[in-house]
Amino acid sequence: MIPNEPPITADLVDAHGIKPDEYQKILDLIGREPSFTELGIFSAMWNEHCSYKSSKRWLKTLPTTGPRVIQGPGENAGVVDIGDGQAVVFKMESHNHPSYIEPYQGAATGVGGILRDIFTMGARPIAAMNALRFGAPEHEKTRHLVSGVVAGVGGYGNSFGVPTVGGEVEFDARYNGNILVNAFAAGLADADKIFYSEAKGVGLPVVYLGAKTGRDGVGGATMASAEFGDDIDQKRPTVQVGDPFTEKRLLDACLELMQTGAVIAIQDMGAAGLTCSAVEMGAKGNLGIELDLDCVPVREENMTAYEMMLSESQERMLMVLHPEKESEARAVFEKWELDFATVGKTTDDLKFRVIWHGTEVANLPIKELGDEAPEYDRPWKVPARPVDEIELVGEHPGIADALLQMIGSPALSSRRWVYEQYDTLIQGNSLQTPGGDAGVVRVDGHPTKALAFSSDVTPRYCEADPFEGGKQAVAECWRNLTATGAEPLAATDNLNFGNPEKRQIMGQLVMAIKGIGEACEALDFPIVSGNVSLYNETNGVGILPTPTIAGVGLIPDHAQMARIGFAAEDQPILLAGALPNWGSHLGQSLYARKFFDRADGAPPPVDLEFERTVGDFVRTLIREGHVGACHDCSDGGLAIALAEMALAGNMGATIHDLDSTDASRAARFFGEDQARYVLTLNAPAGSPAFEVILKRAFDLGIHMSQIGTTGGQSLKLGEARAISLGELRTAHEGWFPTFMAAE
């Protein structure tokens, strides 16, 4: 045993999240008892967060390639060709557990980590999003968590200097004990200058870059791979502390360093810190790595080898470089006042060796640390599918009153309180900021090109039917990009679920992945990066299954881009994509939940072939210049889409009466049927151009009819009373600031 290290006991193994059979595998692999530091290394590399041991076999079924895909899953981020010698680099990751324990730093370091994933690849970050899910508004911790998380996201992103252009904020009691913070970032790079993490060459220097190592975040990845219990407050030391100004210097230093030709391989120190970055670089290159911890820059005294190997201190990178360029590389980092230290070398023995104070504290087979991590085919069962239709028995509220109550509810109210704390315009390229279907950012240096970004999932659908819910998450993201006129290029996923050791939870994960895969295939929307976050439970209570999908789309000419706001008076309003019985679907709808306390029924089905036909047609109309405004129908149905369009354009509309009874009107206005867009046409109703467009839709099998006309300062839905824009805006904007200001 190494001096001053504790003996390896069953309790110590258990405390590291390693099960008895997994520990036996370690013994069989190395032929001896591991040292304390080695136990920590195995814990870091074999936990769920780093090894994907419960999800790996299912993730392999997802479509990950396409004509534009340069790099799919397996690197720090996905890379997609956008033409003209450029590529977009993007990824989404979770920081759920840390954000519940310490909301400001948990969210801030989630943003910092995803930004490093982007510029590690050689890309300059140009956009960020975040998908946030909190507990019920009335829960005692919710307001505190919202305040801390939003401040953390804004504090880091604003200081670093990247615009936050989109995202989601949801509330549900199922997140009371385990909130979700999913962070997305995208960057631009030259397509022929992408940097990878695969180490190459023997005897080359392994260099530590960035900030110093401290004790913050020790064991963070292991903590993120376990359920919460009553001891949650004791886990606070496992949350990292971020410094966005150091990260900004690290960005500039790395991009400058990459111009010198010194970099062979580079890897962000994210989850499991120095351990994971070193092992991944060596294993990918079929090389060994030897580290000398005495050379690692530290900011705290008397740090042990165990602490240094498992620290998740932020703003750090690991690099293999050309030795003849070492002095040039060092000068770059010294100019930016960042640490630059040669801490090891590559070897040809496929060993991961760690030296501390002259003693070898770890000597492990490097490939097996990653490749031989346990991979489970966990038992699962197909969740029971609910009945297709529900009947809402009882008195329906008036359409106008229902709309005001819904658009002022926690589920549908304006998120302005949140996104106004984010810098949405920094860098000067933002064309659409939060509040629309997708954020849009101009491609800097190109006269017409822009990129669109959206993040979507409907967790209540996923719980009712994970397969359809997974399909719908992809379809809605694809639809939101399309609604701007963008061609959806590729997606990243963030799969948030409960304990996979429970058959029903594993069934949710499997079926959601199957749905995601089917939708991505049908829509030519490959998954090029992502993250899996499991064990999102507290005292056995799991979250709603939440497979977040974030996508990127390309707009060739942003002059033809569509926005959601009504743009001109007297334009015809059309509903595109409605099937003959559209509006019949109230199962899992927000309307049924709010007014009838019904959370049952099947979610709306997703016809992927029809989804693609409608979306491709709508995108064509936008690019041909026929569309004044466009918005997809999603939560809350047609009425909410129309209200959001009116508020965004500060212009009213008059909508035809859509049915004859209260129940059928409610279904028409608030049903959540898929594959639908509301759009206005620049061509007057009845004009030859208008009729040609309707015929083109008919020829494609798309039902597309005029449902109303823009104009005025009120929204009138059929026979319902007219709602002034002022009344509508007061309802929409009021809930969030009132909630956050409450004592």
Side-chain angles (χ1 to χ4, degrees):
M1 191 173 73
I2 297 166
N4 301 319
E5 287 199 340
I8 306 300
T9 65
D11 286 345
L12 189 65
V13 171
D14 182 65
H16 281 74
I18 298 173
K19 299 185 183 303
D21 59 325
E22 294 174 343
Y23 184 64
Q24 184 59 52
K25 186 170 184 175
I26 292 171
L27 297 179
D28 295 342
L29 190 63
I30 65 176
R32 56 176 172 79
E33 181 181 86
S35 69
F36 179 56
T37 300
E38 289 175 330
L39 184 69
I41 290 170
F42 273 109
S43 172
M45 293 301 300
W46 285 16
N47 64 54
E48 194 74 60
H49 192 76
C50 292
S51 72
Y52 299 104
K53 56 190 176 186
S54 296
S55 57
K56 190 182 299 182
R57 73 178 300 260
W58 298 105
L59 295 176
K60 292 174 183 176
T61 67
L62 291 171
T64 60
T65 60
R68 289 185 178 269
V69 177
I70 295 172
Q71 174 64 52
E75 272 292 340
N76 287 291
V79 185
V80 176
D81 191 341
I82 63 168
D84 300 308
Q86 289 186 300
V88 60
V89 179
F90 63 97
K91 189 181 183 183
M92 180 173 254
E93 280 207 342
S94 61
H95 231 222
N96 304 334
H97 284 46
S99 298
Y100 186 78
I101 297 168
E102 213 301 304
Y104 184 94
Q105 290 297 347
T109 53
V111 174
I114 198 66
L115 289 169
R116 281 195 306 283
D117 282 338
I118 302 310
F119 68 77
T120 301
M121 303 286 292
R124 183 173 291 278
I126 61 165
M129 297 190 295
N130 52 86
L132 312 177
R133 289 177 169 84
F134 300 101
E138 60 271 18
H139 190 266
E140 60 183 1
K141 293 193 71 171
T142 298
R143 190 179 297 107
H144 161 73
L145 291 168
V146 172
S147 178
V149 166
V150 171
V153 169
Y156 205 103
N158 298 352
S159 300
F160 179 84
V162 62
T164 299
V165 298
E168 305 170 88
V169 183
E170 286 193 355
F171 297 90
D172 193 284
R174 293 283 291 282
Y175 302 107
N176 282 351
N178 199 126
I179 65 173
L180 301 185
V181 175
N182 294 172
F184 168 95
L188 279 177
D190 290 340
D192 60 350
K193 294 184 177 65
I194 304 298
F195 288 81
Y196 298 98
S197 59
E198 178 185 337
K200 297 176 182 177
V202 176
L204 300 182
V206 176
V207 178
Y208 174 114
L209 309 168
K212 289 179 167 56
T213 295
R215 290 187 172 92
D216 51 319
V218 171
T222 301
M223 176 270 290
S225 304
E227 293 183 32
F228 282 151
D230 293 329
D231 61 346
I232 185 170
D233 286 336
Q234 299 172 25
K235 299 180 184 290
R236 193 172 301 274
T238 60
V239 178
Q240 312 94 319
V241 177
D243 178 356
F245 301 106
T246 297
E247 178 123 326
K248 181 62 167 66
R249 286 185 287 128
L250 183 60
L251 160 71
D252 288 324
C254 283
L255 294 184
E256 184 176 336
L257 176 66
M258 290 166 175
Q259 298 300 314
T260 68
V263 180
I264 295 174
I266 189 165
Q267 174 73 38
D268 163 43
M269 286 194 220
L274 190 55
T275 290
C276 195
S277 57
V279 169
E280 287 185 359
M281 291 176 77
K284 284 180 181 177
N286 291 309
L287 296 170
I289 298 281
E290 180 182 307
L291 297 179
D292 184 349
L293 298 186
D294 295 340
C295 299
V296 172
V298 294
R299 66 168 186 262
E300 300 184 49
E301 295 182 355
N302 302 316
M303 288 190 70
T304 65
Y306 177 95
E307 291 171 329
M308 294 168 74
M309 291 306 297
L310 270 67
S311 167
E312 294 184 6
S313 293
Q314 297 292 285
E315 294 87 42
R316 301 180 301 160
M317 300 279 197
L318 202 64
M319 175 182 70
V320 176
L321 88 167
H322 292 286
E324 69 275 10
K325 298 271 190 178
E326 186 169 350
S327 59
E328 186 178 358
R330 183 183 298 275
V332 170
F333 271 74
E334 288 177 349
K335 182 185 83 171
W336 289 99
E337 298 180 347
L338 293 165
D339 280 294
F340 179 102
T342 301
V343 296
K345 63 182 179 181
T346 59
T347 64
D348 62 0
D349 59 5
L350 290 176
K351 295 288 188 181
F352 183 49
R353 300 179 65 235
V354 181
I355 312 299
W356 180 63
H357 296 345
T359 300
E360 186 178 80
V361 294
N363 188 330
L364 300 170
I366 198 166
K367 295 283 285 184
E368 286 79 356
L369 267 173
D371 296 346
E372 293 299 317
E375 183 175 336
Y376 294 117
D377 184 4
R378 295 198 185 278
W380 58 282
K381 63 179 181 180
V382 178
R385 195 177 187 281
V387 295
D388 283 339
E389 295 187 19
I390 62 172
E391 183 179 356
L392 301 181
V393 179
E395 185 177 352
H396 288 260
I399 296 298
D401 290 340
L403 173 58
L404 287 170
Q405 290 185 58
M406 288 184 68
I407 206 163
S409 68
L412 293 169
S413 63
S414 169
R415 273 41 179 159
R416 186 183 304 276
W417 184 92
V418 174
Y419 63 72
E420 283 193 343
Q421 297 187 51
Y422 306 151
D423 193 330
T424 61
L425 300 173
I426 196 166
Q427 298 186 12
N429 290 315
S430 300
L431 297 174
Q432 292 199 47
T433 53
D437 283 319
V440 180
V441 174
R442 180 171 35 229
V443 174
D444 198 20
H446 194 280
T448 65
K449 194 178 293 185
L451 292 168
F453 306 97
S454 184
S455 166
D456 299 282
V457 66
T458 309
R460 65 184 186 278
Y461 293 176
C462 295
E463 182 166 59
D465 186 334
F467 179 73
E468 285 296 327
K471 285 166 59 180
Q472 192 273 341
V474 174
E476 186 174 351
C477 182
W478 188 90
R479 198 185 312 136
N480 279 327
L481 297 172
T482 294
T484 68
E487 172 199 353
L489 299 180
T492 179
D493 59 10
N494 203 149
L495 309 180
N496 308 272
F497 290 81
N499 185 345
E501 296 169 47
K502 298 177 179 178
R503 290 168 62 95
Q504 67 272 24
I505 302 298
M506 193 64 206
Q508 290 175 346
L509 175 63
V510 171
M511 294 308 293
I513 291 174
K514 285 177 176 286
I516 290 168
E518 185 170 304
C520 288
E521 286 277 9
L523 299 173
D524 283 339
F525 200 39
I527 300 287
V528 297
S529 59
N531 172 248
V532 179
S533 175
L534 303 180
Y535 296 95
N536 287 289
E537 299 199 3
T538 297
N539 292 326
V541 178
I543 62 164
L544 290 169
T546 312
T548 310
I549 303 294
V552 177
L554 177 64
I555 299 174
D557 184 357
H558 52 71
Q560 299 295 353
M561 171 183 67
R563 302 176 184 269
I564 74 167
F566 290 144
E569 298 263 354
D570 298 320
Q571 287 195 328
I573 303 171
L574 292 93
L575 180 64
L579 296 170
N581 64 339
W582 69 270
S584 64
H585 205 97
L586 286 169
Q588 296 300 323
S589 69
L590 291 177
Y591 180 88
R593 291 189 176 216
K594 182 163 186 63
F595 298 113
F596 292 85
D597 197 27
R598 294 283 297 273
D600 57 338
V606 180
D607 182 331
L608 293 167
E609 183 179 354
F610 187 63
E611 189 82 56
R612 178 154 191 171
T613 299
V614 178
D616 287 350
F617 179 60
V618 168
R619 187 185 314 108
T620 299
L621 292 181
I622 293 171
R623 292 185 175 185
E624 289 175 351
H626 297 303
V627 176
C630 185
H631 191 15
D632 86 310
C633 283
S634 54
D635 276 349
L638 174 62
I640 297 298
L642 289 165
E644 291 172 343
M645 296 176 82
L647 290 172
N650 196 32
M651 182 180 298
T654 300
I655 306 301
H656 305 155
D657 196 29
L658 299 178
D659 226 315
S660 57
T661 69
D662 288 345
S664 57
R665 284 193 186 99
R668 293 289 196 185
F669 279 115
F670 299 108
E672 296 180 5
D673 308 54
Q674 299 295 293
R676 296 186 298 160
Y677 300 78
V678 181
L679 49 90
T680 64
L681 292 183
N682 296 323
S687 68
F690 178 88
E691 296 299 332
V692 166
I693 289 171
L694 292 190
K695 184 178 186 307
R696 287 169 63 187
F698 179 81
D699 290 344
L700 290 169
I702 299 170
H703 179 72
M704 185 165 158
S705 60
Q706 182 178 359
I707 59 171
T709 307
T710 62
Q713 284 296 299
S714 64
L715 180 63
K716 191 173 190 323
L717 303 180
E719 298 300 313
R721 69 175 177 87
I723 308 170
S724 72
L725 292 186
E727 186 180 8
L728 196 61
R729 196 176 306 280
T730 297
H732 189 45
E733 299 285 353
W735 183 84
F736 223 114
T738 301
F739 168 65
M740 293 307 298
E743 295 296 330

